[in-house]
């Protein structure tokens, strides 16, 4: 039902920023019901129609995560490549999110040395207590780094 409502609203408001947000909701609804390829296609459209840069940055990461969940290797590779690109752009508004989820993805692939590198970068850039806006992801990354050290991974 959420998919139907969000898809209808995305079409109805397609010429507005609200239409792009409804398209993103539709993509997430499709993902939740197991239609991953349709979700990726819908989120791609949503991201490309978003006018607000910060919103587009955040949803680009969401798109990348959906791509990582795809059964198609080429789609997975595209998602990983986008996260890597964002992780190198310190001025990107979703840099911390990309660093965390790239590290998390590599962690799930048992590529601990690579995951450690992304987690360390995240903690260094966004994890100090004197920062004006520290990232909540840095705390989780710090815990993962502790596990890597503890396990000698």
């Amino acid at each position: 039902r959420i998919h139907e409502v969000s898809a209808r609203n995305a079409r109805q408001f397609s010429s507005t920023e609200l239409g792009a947000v409804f398209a993103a909701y539709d993509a997430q609804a499709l993902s939740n019901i197991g239609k991953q390829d349709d979700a990726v296609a819908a989120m791609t459209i949503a991201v490309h129609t978003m006018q607000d840069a910060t919103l587009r940055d955040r949803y680009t990461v969401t798109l990348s995560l959906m791509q990582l969940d795809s059964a198609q290797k080429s789609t997975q590779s595209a998602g990983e490549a986008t996260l890597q690109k964002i992780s190198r752009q310190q001025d990107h508004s979703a840099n911390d999110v990309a660093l965390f989820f790239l590290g998390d993805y590599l962690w799930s692939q048992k590529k601990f040395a690579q995951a450690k590198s992304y987690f360390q970068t995240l903690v260094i850039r966004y994890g100090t207590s004197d920062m004006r806006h520290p990232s909540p992801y840095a705390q989780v990354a710090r815990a993962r780094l502790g596990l890597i050290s503890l396990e000698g991974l």
Side-chain angles (χ1 to χ4, degrees):
R1 177 103 170 106
I2 293 173
H3 159 59
E4 295 166 9
V5 171
S6 57
R8 183 181 66 236
N9 287 333
R11 286 188 302 276
Q12 182 178 350
F13 298 102
S14 63
S15 63
T16 69
E17 187 76 8
L18 187 58
V21 173
F22 277 121
Y25 289 157
D26 183 38
Q28 291 172 331
L30 287 165
S31 180
N32 289 342
I33 60 174
K35 295 184 175 184
Q36 204 59 33
D37 291 337
D38 292 338
V40 168
M43 187 61 79
T44 300
I45 292 168
V47 166
H48 289 297
T49 58
M50 288 179 179
Q51 297 169 7
D52 181 82
T54 301
L55 193 62
R56 186 176 50 250
D57 287 352
R58 296 291 172 160
Y59 276 107
T60 297
V61 172
T62 302
L63 170 60
S64 297
L65 296 174
M66 287 179 169
Q67 290 172 318
L68 290 176
D69 288 340
S70 173
Q72 299 175 25
K73 293 290 183 195
S74 61
T75 303
Q76 291 172 0
S77 295
E80 186 175 357
T82 300
L83 288 177
Q84 287 173 348
K85 179 181 175 185
I86 294 169
S87 75
R88 291 188 298 270
Q89 298 172 336
Q90 290 187 41
D91 60 338
H92 195 283
S93 69
N95 180 260
D96 63 324
V97 183
L99 285 165
F100 176 76
F101 282 109
L102 188 53
D104 188 58
Y105 173 70
L106 293 166
W107 174 281
S108 74
Q109 301 293 310
K110 308 237 185 292
K111 297 177 180 177
F112 299 113
Q114 291 174 315
K116 180 179 178 179
S117 175
Y118 288 103
F119 289 148
Q120 285 175 328
T121 302
L122 173 58
V123 169
I124 290 166
R125 287 185 191 165
Y126 302 100
T128 60
S129 59
D130 62 342
M131 292 188 74
R132 188 169 153 185
H133 299 289
S135 171
Y137 293 102
Q139 186 176 11
V140 180
R142 187 175 282 116
R144 294 274 179 93
L145 287 168
L147 289 172
I148 290 171
S149 296
L150 183 66
E151 296 294 324
L153 301 173

